[in-house]
Amino acid sequence: MNIGLYFGSFNPIHTGHCIIASHVLANTPLEQVWLVVTPHNPFKNEQSLLNEYDRLYLVQLAIAGEGGLRGSDIEFHLNKPSYTVHTLVHLKEKYPQHDFSIIMGSDSYQNLPKWKNSGYIQGNHSIYIYTRPGFPAETGGNGKVILLDAPLLEISSTRIREYVRKKKNIRYLVPDKVQEEIEKNGYYK
């Protein structure tokens, strides 16, 4: 099976994440998209993160009933901080029958050379890139890099957390069940 890995802190997951995952699944040869919740991204401050199990639960709420989309806790069981290359090697050992590709925004793709063992990642895995405003992406003739014309919304998890702190409405920015869970548990206040 060809599986796309959409990595993120998902702090919290929002409507833009869901649209990208659904679009990629519908418009590529990928048979599943796993939203991989990263417990600690080495490029982000760990202090601002909601507990990883709560973030995973929000992801599962957001994609419930969506065939082909799955929340993944694979990085919860690996050393922290999370490095994509370690996750990919682990997945290949655990699921040798599957092919794993990466889904990322053009902003992350521009930072890929700074990632641990980025050459290994680029040489061994297809990368599906959706363009983010202000971050043009080129394949450089690499057949493993596929540019997607995906719908984009200017929504950020940072803005959502700020809205929650300021008691502003986040309806339509996150799926309804995610909003209910955030409000019920007082997340991000």
Side-chain angles (χ1 to χ4, degrees):
M1 183 178 299
N2 196 355
I3 298 169
L5 302 172
Y6 187 11
F7 293 90
S9 297
F10 301 111
N11 189 38
I13 187 167
H14 56 66
T15 305
H17 294 131
C18 297
I19 289 171
I20 292 295
S22 179
H23 179 82
V24 170
L25 184 63
N27 293 286
T28 67
L30 298 174
E31 298 167 77
Q32 287 186 355
V33 171
W34 293 2
L35 288 87
V36 181
V37 178
T38 301
H40 177 210
N41 178 327
F43 295 110
K44 293 190 177 179
N45 179 358
E46 191 174 16
Q47 301 296 330
S48 67
L49 293 173
L50 187 65
N51 175 284
E52 62 247 36
Y53 290 97
D54 293 327
R55 289 183 282 130
L56 175 64
Y57 183 62
L58 293 177
V59 166
Q60 291 167 337
L61 283 175
I63 62 173
E66 295 295 324
L69 299 182
R70 175 181 153 191
S72 173
D73 67 353
I74 194 74
E75 289 192 338
F76 293 15
H77 314 289
L78 301 175
N79 291 332
K80 292 168 187 65
S82 304
Y83 292 100
T84 302
V85 68
H86 295 160
T87 305
L88 292 168
V89 168
H90 177 77
L91 285 169
K92 195 61 184 167
E93 289 172 359
K94 188 171 181 171
Y95 303 106
Q97 72 277 22
H98 297 317
D99 290 318
F100 293 97
S101 301
I102 302 171
I103 301 162
M104 67 173 60
S106 56
D107 53 340
S108 293
Y109 182 66
Q110 285 187 359
N111 286 324
L112 189 58
K114 298 176 186 173
W115 291 19
K116 185 173 187 168
N117 296 83
S118 64
Y120 171 86
I121 295 170
Q122 293 175 328
N124 291 283
H125 298 276
S126 294
I127 302 174
Y128 290 88
I129 302 170
Y130 57 93
T131 305
R132 303 280 306 259
F135 298 94
E138 296 180 16
T139 64
N142 184 344
K144 290 183 174 267
V145 177
I146 302 101
L147 296 178
L148 301 172
D149 184 23
L152 294 176
L153 298 175
E154 297 249 359
I155 301 174
S156 78
S157 296
T158 302
R159 181 175 293 160
I160 292 166
R161 292 191 306 272
E162 179 184 319
Y163 277 20
V164 171
R165 278 193 300 277
K166 293 180 177 180
K167 299 180 181 171
K168 291 184 176 184
N169 187 3
I170 60 169
R171 187 165 186 222
Y172 307 119
L173 298 176
V174 297
D176 290 342
K177 290 181 187 246
V178 171
Q179 179 183 3
E180 290 168 17
E181 195 69 14
I182 288 171
E183 290 172 354
K184 181 175 90 176
N185 292 294
Y187 294 154
Y188 305 114
K189 290 195 172 182

